[in-house]
Amino acid sequence: MGKKDILLNDFMSNPHIFADLINGCCFHGKRVIRPEELLPLDSVQPTKSNQGVYSKQLRDIKKLLFCRAPAAILAVENQEHRDFRMPVRCMRYDADEYGRQIKAIMAEHKAEKGTSCFAETDFLLPVLSLVIYYGKEEWTHPENIHDMLDFSRIPGPLRHEIPDYPIRIFSVRKDIDIDLFCTELREVMGILQRVDDKNAMKQFFYENRDAFSNMTESGFEVIITCTNSRKLRKYMSDNLEGGIVDMCKAFDEWMDDCREEGIKKGESRFALLIQKLAEENRMSEILRAAENAALRKRLYKKYGL
């Protein structure tokens, strides 16, 4: 598990963030899941290999929805990279969870009645698993088990008889409407959507200054890691107070440094270009290059600068 996944898991484990995520992704922002109804569950669950060997697998986040009684299991898998096994992974995660419940019910019958069984009147808690994909490459498939199967040699009607297993996958960059969120998940997801475009990220910061001035340390950690900025981390330590970070102040300082670095890099690049032109005795082009950005761009490309 990578550092980004670990920090996202910690951030999204907060019941307010987790409920906001489910509501925004599944219910168009309607407050169907409430944070006070979410209880933490051990994310480690047993599994069995093809060779019959039992082991443990770690789910990213798993919560119990408790509405006056246990109601459902809600789980989230955070993915930075495309995984073409994902439908099978999710199907197995869910099947293992249902298997765990069956064993618990059978053990309860054994303790109460002396007989281990799963009765007709026994029911399992439903399991919902979401995949949150925040990678760069578009996730076009697979989105279900059928996407992974080779149907080319079977009769057409047979395909419809083979059970499918769709997954609930949400691409942060394509599928998620951040305005459906009501916690700082909105700001974190907004940055993840713009992480490759510094200008768009800058504009998003300034349009949401009030929200960014009261970021939690956990949310800020996710942003720092996803922007891969050591300077933002330094600014966080300088501006952390009571678990809250004034990210606007940190970001302003960071952008000032970025601008200064950009100026220095630009000056160094132009100096190298002048040197190249002087070596070729193209003195008249030096002044033209200084005044003409399009010409500079062509010359940078020509000289590999």
Side-chain angles (χ1 to χ4, degrees):
M1 186 182 297
K3 185 176 181 180
K4 290 182 183 178
D5 283 342
I6 293 172
L7 290 172
L8 272 170
N9 293 349
D10 178 63
F11 174 66
M12 292 182 180
S13 292
N14 180 298
H16 294 275
I17 301 294
F18 189 89
D20 199 22
L21 178 70
I22 302 294
N23 291 333
C25 289
C26 299
F27 308 116
H28 204 69
K30 186 178 179 181
R31 199 163 178 244
V32 174
I33 306 299
R34 299 175 180 273
E36 61 270 19
E37 296 173 339
L38 294 171
L39 300 178
L41 284 177
D42 189 354
S43 58
V44 177
Q45 59 186 48
T47 186
K48 189 177 181 181
S49 71
N50 295 332
Q51 291 75 36
V53 178
Y54 282 95
S55 61
K56 293 180 179 180
Q57 62 184 4
L58 183 65
R59 301 216 62 177
D60 283 349
I61 313 169
K62 193 165 70 169
K63 302 279 188 183
L64 173 65
L65 179 64
F66 194 93
C67 305
R68 297 183 298 277
I73 306 294
L74 306 178
V76 168
E77 296 297 319
N78 287 309
Q79 283 291 126
E80 181 179 7
H81 304 289
R82 292 184 299 175
D83 187 344
F84 302 115
R85 308 166 299 164
M86 207 68 210
V88 170
R89 280 181 57 191
C90 286
M91 183 171 67
R92 186 159 190 172
Y93 287 149
D94 295 350
D96 285 340
E97 171 56 35
Y98 287 129
R100 183 198 65 77
Q101 292 184 44
I102 288 174
K103 287 183 179 179
I105 291 171
M106 294 177 69
E108 186 176 342
H109 286 316
K110 177 74 173 177
E112 292 178 353
K113 305 173 184 178
T115 303
S116 178
C117 67
F118 187 82
E120 183 180 1
T121 54
D122 289 323
F123 291 92
L124 305 176
L125 297 181
V127 178
L128 172 65
S129 295
L130 303 188
V131 179
I132 306 299
Y133 172 64
Y134 57 97
K136 293 182 180 180
E137 298 177 283
E138 185 177 357
W139 190 307
T140 54
H141 79 285
E143 295 183 346
N144 50 58
I145 292 294
H146 274 199
D147 285 346
M148 301 176 65
L149 303 182
D150 182 0
F151 290 108
S152 62
R153 291 179 294 276
I154 68 171
L158 180 58
R159 172 175 181 153
H160 302 292
E161 301 302 319
I162 296 174
D164 198 1
Y165 199 87
I167 59 176
R168 298 283 285 152
I169 181 164
F170 297 88
S171 170
V172 171
R173 297 169 188 245
K174 186 183 73 170
D175 302 323
I176 288 182
D177 179 357
I178 62 170
D179 289 328
L180 297 177
F181 300 133
C182 60
T183 65
E184 67 180 10
L185 179 64
R186 177 185 182 278
E187 285 67 53
V188 170
M189 287 294 185
I191 293 299
L192 291 181
Q193 290 177 342
R194 297 162 174 80
V195 72
D196 296 321
D197 187 339
K198 188 169 289 185
N199 288 329
M201 187 167 60
K202 176 182 176 181
Q203 182 178 351
F204 184 68
F205 267 111
Y206 289 134
E207 289 175 350
N208 298 275
R209 290 186 69 89
D210 289 345
F212 280 113
S213 65
N214 289 286
M215 291 288 294
T216 64
E217 184 176 0
S218 177
F220 195 53
E221 279 283 2
V222 174
I223 291 175
I224 289 172
T225 302
C226 291
T227 56
N228 196 28
S229 172
R230 295 179 181 177
K231 290 187 176 180
L232 272 181
R233 182 171 299 283
K234 177 182 181 299
Y235 297 142
M236 182 189 77
S237 63
D238 293 342
N239 293 281
L240 179 63
E241 184 175 348
I244 300 296
V245 183
D246 185 347
M247 189 169 180
C248 287
K249 182 178 179 181
F251 185 73
D252 287 341
E253 295 178 16
W254 180 50
M255 290 304 297
D256 286 342
D257 280 359
C258 288
R259 279 191 289 271
E260 290 178 8
E261 287 182 5
I263 291 171
K264 290 177 182 177
K265 287 180 181 178
E267 291 174 348
S268 176
R269 190 184 189 193
F270 186 57
L272 288 173
L273 177 60
I274 291 174
Q275 182 180 345
K276 294 286 186 183
L277 293 173
E279 288 173 355
E280 297 180 5
N281 200 29
R282 300 169 64 184
M283 308 304 292
S284 63
E285 288 192 54
I286 293 177
L287 181 58
R288 288 176 56 213
E291 298 175 341
N292 190 322
L295 176 59
R296 282 199 306 275
K297 186 175 181 181
R298 291 197 298 271
L299 291 172
Y300 286 147
K301 184 176 181 181
K302 176 182 178 179
Y303 291 108
L305 301 175

